[in-house]
Amino acid sequence: MNHEEKTAKENVTRLMEFVLVGFADMPHLQWFLFGLFLTIYIIILMSNGTIVLITKLDPALQSPMYFFLSNFSFLEMCYVSVTLPRMLRDLGAQRRRIPLVACATQMFFVLELAGTECLLLSVMAYDRYVAICHPLHYPLIMNHRLCVQLVIGSWITCIPFQVGQTYQIFSLPFCGSKEINHFFCDIPPLLKLACVDSSVNEMLVYIVAVLFVIVPFLLILGSYSKIISTILKLPSAASRSKAFSTCSSHVMVVVLFLGSGSITYLRPKSSHSEETGKVLSLFYTILTPLLNPVIYSLRNKDVIMALRKLLCK
């Protein structure tokens, strides 16, 4: 009887936690990876934090474009902080266990912040569309009130969808191996651990991915098709060059983030490779936040000038 109670207790313990495999298959590289990702994390926080700071302090960066860029940089800092600290802890302490509640919380914030980023990218594309296609009406249309509403809408729209999706996934019974072959709690590797048919959950994943990846992508595509059409009609080559330069940085971020994200969540289940999934996740969870300040600052003279002024103080 005592043995049965002990076994039942062990089963409950197993059900209440998972093991994040991460990069355990490369034991000789653990400390190298720890140093690498710690350096990347610090760079992401400092570089994105600098963009937030200069867009608040510099009077020349008070336009809607920089208001959205500031929010985007703050979002990137939040996004990377959901996954990287846990990964660093696992690499440094070799403690890969994560409680079920912590896993569900992490997955919710990853999905919520990723959805927010998709919506914010579409808002930024709309801002560029109004600025280039309707320059005379730009200050009237993109007033401060609308900008704040668009940012708040981007942050809160995803919440009910991701709460529902997270609840649905963690309502599934998990059996067998509790090892998640990933460096954070993500949907595809978790569904592989389910004891029951998860086709309904997979369909919900596709629906949410279409809503928050494909729809924003189509809005961005529509905005930039109008922008390109308008740019080509500009009389001077200098004007066309400036307009293309302003938009190209945004396009690079869109392609990098939405491209890797859509491949991860919209590819057929039969083609899911856990190792490929981890590599793709590195693109949209770490590489995009790392490159975002470089792409926006090095290609933007106003940001470079504001940064110089800040450093000279």
Side-chain angles (χ1 to χ4, degrees):
M1 185 70 180
N2 290 335
H3 177 71
E4 290 176 359
E5 289 177 358
K6 185 178 179 182
T7 304
K9 187 176 180 181
E10 287 175 354
N11 286 337
V12 171
T13 303
R14 291 194 196 103
L15 288 171
M16 295 302 291
E17 65 181 8
F18 294 100
V19 176
L20 289 171
V21 174
F23 301 97
D25 55 339
M26 296 182 284
H28 55 292
L29 293 176
Q30 296 297 291
W31 286 108
F32 169 76
L33 291 173
F34 177 85
L36 175 65
F37 288 125
L38 178 61
T39 304
I40 288 173
Y41 185 47
I42 293 170
I43 291 172
I44 289 172
L45 293 183
M46 290 183 65
S47 56
N48 282 284
T50 301
I51 287 181
V52 173
L53 184 64
I54 61 176
T55 52
K56 296 296 182 187
L57 297 179
D58 197 293
L61 303 181
Q62 300 307 307
S63 67
M65 182 176 79
Y66 296 110
F67 174 72
F68 293 131
L69 178 58
S70 174
N71 279 275
F72 186 71
S73 294
F74 175 71
L75 173 62
E76 296 284 48
M77 292 166 67
C78 296
Y79 190 37
V80 78
S81 295
V82 176
T83 55
L84 263 180
R86 166 70 67 169
M87 189 203 302
L88 292 170
R89 175 181 173 272
D90 292 343
L91 287 169
Q94 298 298 308
R95 294 179 59 192
R96 304 182 186 280
R97 296 182 182 277
I98 181 170
L100 185 141
V101 174
C103 187
T105 303
Q106 185 188 53
M107 192 178 82
F108 164 74
F109 279 108
V110 167
L111 297 175
E112 157 61 15
L113 294 173
T116 300
E117 186 158 335
C118 293
L119 294 178
L120 196 53
L121 284 170
S122 63
V123 167
M124 293 168 75
Y126 175 70
D127 171 68
R128 292 298 83 209
Y129 160 73
V130 177
I132 293 173
C133 299
H134 304 283
L136 298 179
H137 298 96
Y138 181 67
L140 182 65
I141 296 173
M142 299 305 294
N143 56 72
H144 184 68
R145 182 181 178 183
L146 178 63
C147 292
V148 172
Q149 289 173 342
L150 288 171
V151 168
I152 292 174
S154 298
W155 278 89
I156 67 174
T157 300
C158 298
I159 292 176
F161 292 92
Q162 305 305 356
V163 167
Q165 184 159 248
T166 303
Y167 175 78
Q168 287 288 332
I169 289 172
F170 282 89
S171 296
L172 293 170
F174 297 102
C175 58
S177 173
K178 296 297 181 290
E179 292 188 348
I180 301 173
N181 191 7
H182 215 301
F183 56 88
F184 68 91
C185 293
D186 200 10
I187 295 175
L190 266 168
L191 289 179
K192 289 186 176 182
L193 303 181
C195 302
V196 296
D197 180 27
S198 60
S199 55
V200 174
N201 300 85
E202 290 165 15
M203 184 58 65
L204 289 173
V205 170
Y206 288 131
I207 292 171
V208 174
V210 167
L211 285 174
F212 294 107
V213 178
I214 300 302
V215 171
F217 176 74
L218 292 176
L219 291 173
I220 293 168
L221 195 64
S223 296
Y224 276 99
S225 63
K226 292 283 188 179
I227 288 170
I228 291 170
S229 175
T230 302
I231 289 174
L232 293 176
K233 295 175 184 176
L234 293 175
S236 68
S239 299
R240 290 195 296 270
S241 177
K242 184 179 179 181
F244 272 121
S245 178
T246 304
C247 297
S248 59
S249 56
H250 182 232
V251 172
M252 290 170 68
V253 174
V254 168
V255 170
L256 187 62
F257 183 77
L258 292 184
S260 56
S262 60
I263 294 171
T264 300
Y265 294 105
L266 291 172
R267 58 185 171 151
K269 185 179 178 180
S270 57
S271 66
H272 275 193
S273 164
E274 292 176 337
E275 298 306 318
T276 304
K278 278 196 277 191
V279 173
L280 288 170
S281 297
L282 287 172
F283 273 89
Y284 64 83
T285 59
I286 296 176
L287 191 60
T288 304
L290 179 65
L291 294 181
N292 166 44
V294 177
I295 292 171
Y296 281 110
S297 61
L298 293 183
R299 299 180 64 85
N300 191 303
K301 293 179 182 178
D302 292 333
V303 173
I304 292 173
M305 288 179 64
L307 187 58
R308 285 175 180 169
K309 282 193 284 185
L310 181 67
L311 293 174
C312 291
K313 285 184 178 180

